[in-house]
């Protein structure tokens, strides 16, 4: 069993740029040709909205939807959770501080949201690839640390293993039993750099049970990302059973906690 724990689909196939195909049909075809059994699809309101993603996940049972919630709009959070997660059509929460305009300054609101999600026992994935206008402002890795401390019952996924901050991310994941990383996009973006070597060091220190495979498709093709993850596993000296944790066991364990 192989699960890609980080993908996107967009109603406009060129929604991720003219050279990438973000359609659901292409994602499903790419997963099949790469021998990948399932994928987590992350909604990001408003462009990749909850209604759109949940509809596509109902059409394609190999897709597992995560709902997009806005910590700056607390009145919508409970209702959206009840509709999609309580209703059983979505199985986790996606937060994207950079695209949604929040960060460490909104810690209190983010903690409140994660407490609400944790009541459904579903994981909360944070984008953690600092980039662009808000590069110094959001402090994704620190935000995740503070939330993980405040809501120890929540399962938190740090996407992209912290991006450029892999060493900070290592200390945060080591220090918080309720945090795991996904290895999407970062090995691709930082290939050939010291960050890539640090990523290998980080993953080896963390151990296989804290790591999820992911592609960030359509940013990286699922087949390419699978090769990248297997290469990282080999450089860490992981065994076959370690690899099966990274490729599916860990995300299955996290998703199995949800209230039925
Ligand atoms: Zn992503």
């Amino acid at each position: 069993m192989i699960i890609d724990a980080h993908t996107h689909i967009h109603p406009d196939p060129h929604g991720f740029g003219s050279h990438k195909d973000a359609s659901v049909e292409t994602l499903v075809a790419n997963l099949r040709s790469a021998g990948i059994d399932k994928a987590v699809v992350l909604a990001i309101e408003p462009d990749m909205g909850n209604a759109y993603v949940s509809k596509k996940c109902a059409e394609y049972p190999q897709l597992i939807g995560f709902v997009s919630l806005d910590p700056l709009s607390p009145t919508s959070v409970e209702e959206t959770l009840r509709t999609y997660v309580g209703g059983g059509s979505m199985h986790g929460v996606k937060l994207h501080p950079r695209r949604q305009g929040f960060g460490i300054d909104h810690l209190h609101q983010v903690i409140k949201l994660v407490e609400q999600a944790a009541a459904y026992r579903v994981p909360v994935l944070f984008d953690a690839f600092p980039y662009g206008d808000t590069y110094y402002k959001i402090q994704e890795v620190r935000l995740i640390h503070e939330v993980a401390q405040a809501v120890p019952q929540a399962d938190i996924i740090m996407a992209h293993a912290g991006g450029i901050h892999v060493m900070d991310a290592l200390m945060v994941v080591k220090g918080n039993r309720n945090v795991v990383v996904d290895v999407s996009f970062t090995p691709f973006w930082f290939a050939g750099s010291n960050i890539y070597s640090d990523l290998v060091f980080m993953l080896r220190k963390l151990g296989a049970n804290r790591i999820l495979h992911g592609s960030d498709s359509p940013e990286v093709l699922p087949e390419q990302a699978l090769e990248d993850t297997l290469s990282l596993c080999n450089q860490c000296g992981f065994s076959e059973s370690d690899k099966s944790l990274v490729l599916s066991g860990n995300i299955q364990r996290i998703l199995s906690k949800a209230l039925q």
Side-chain angles (χ1 to χ4, degrees):
M1 167 73 74
I2 303 177
I3 301 175
D4 184 331
H6 189 136
T7 73
H8 302 280
I9 56 174
H10 199 294
D12 171 5
H14 297 303
F16 276 71
S18 58
H19 298 297
K20 292 167 199 142
D21 184 346
S23 68
V24 68
E25 291 82 7
T26 296
L27 173 64
V28 167
N30 287 343
L31 293 170
R32 191 182 303 122
S33 68
I36 297 166
D37 302 284
K38 294 183 179 186
V40 172
V41 176
L42 306 169
I44 306 175
E45 287 281 357
D47 298 352
M48 295 157 267
N50 294 325
Y52 165 71
V53 170
S54 74
K55 182 167 177 283
K56 293 302 169 189
C57 291
E59 286 173 29
Y60 297 97
Q62 64 271 54
L63 304 181
I64 303 160
F66 275 29
V67 73
S68 175
L69 299 176
D70 182 0
L72 305 183
S73 171
T75 52
S76 71
V77 168
E78 190 55 55
E79 192 190 331
T80 309
L81 272 172
R82 198 182 321 117
T83 302
Y84 291 101
V85 177
S89 63
M90 305 280 249
H91 305 278
V93 172
K94 158 75 168 191
L95 298 179
H96 202 306
R98 178 156 42 86
R99 291 180 67 130
Q100 293 182 280
F102 67 89
I104 193 73
D105 294 344
H106 307 96
L107 178 61
H108 179 74
Q109 293 98 311
V110 179
I111 287 172
K112 182 104 183 57
L113 182 156
V114 172
E115 282 171 343
Q116 289 170 278
Y120 287 90
R121 297 189 203 160
V122 293
V124 179
L125 181 147
F126 284 76
D127 176 83
F129 194 90
Y131 184 79
D133 295 352
T134 52
Y135 182 74
Y136 288 108
K137 204 168 176 191
I138 296 172
Q139 300 185 47
E140 290 88 345
V141 175
R142 185 179 156 209
L143 176 65
I144 289 166
H145 173 73
E146 300 297 347
V147 172
Q149 289 283 314
V151 197
Q153 72 275 28
D155 278 305
I156 296 172
I157 302 169
M158 184 192 296
H160 316 303
I164 194 165
H165 299 304
V166 284
M167 286 303 190
D168 266 349
L170 165 60
M171 303 321 282
V172 167
V173 181
K174 271 284 184 201
N176 293 283
R177 297 296 305 163
N178 53 335
V179 182
V180 299
V181 295
D182 84 40
V183 291
S184 64
F185 196 60
T186 294
F188 167 81
W189 209 91
F190 287 103
S193 76
N194 289 338
I195 303 299
Y196 183 92
S197 325
D198 286 353
L199 178 65
V200 175
F201 177 91
M202 175 222 206
L203 299 177
R204 193 184 294 131
K205 282 277 187 197
L206 284 182
N209 63 344
R210 312 295 294 280
I211 304 165
L212 310 180
H213 165 63
S215 65
D216 206 14
S217 172
E219 297 288 359
V220 180
L221 292 175
E223 186 174 6
Q224 170 72 55
L226 184 54
E227 268 180 42
D228 291 346
T229 297
L230 288 172
S231 172
L232 289 168
C233 288
N234 289 334
Q235 291 173 78
C236 290
F238 288 166
S239 67
E240 289 306 309
S241 64
D242 288 339
K243 286 179 193 171
S244 82
L245 288 175
V246 173
L247 294 182
S248 62
N250 293 328
I251 186 72
Q252 285 177 311
R253 182 184 71 237
I254 292 168
L255 291 172
S256 71
K257 297 181 190 175
L259 296 177
Q260 296 302 313

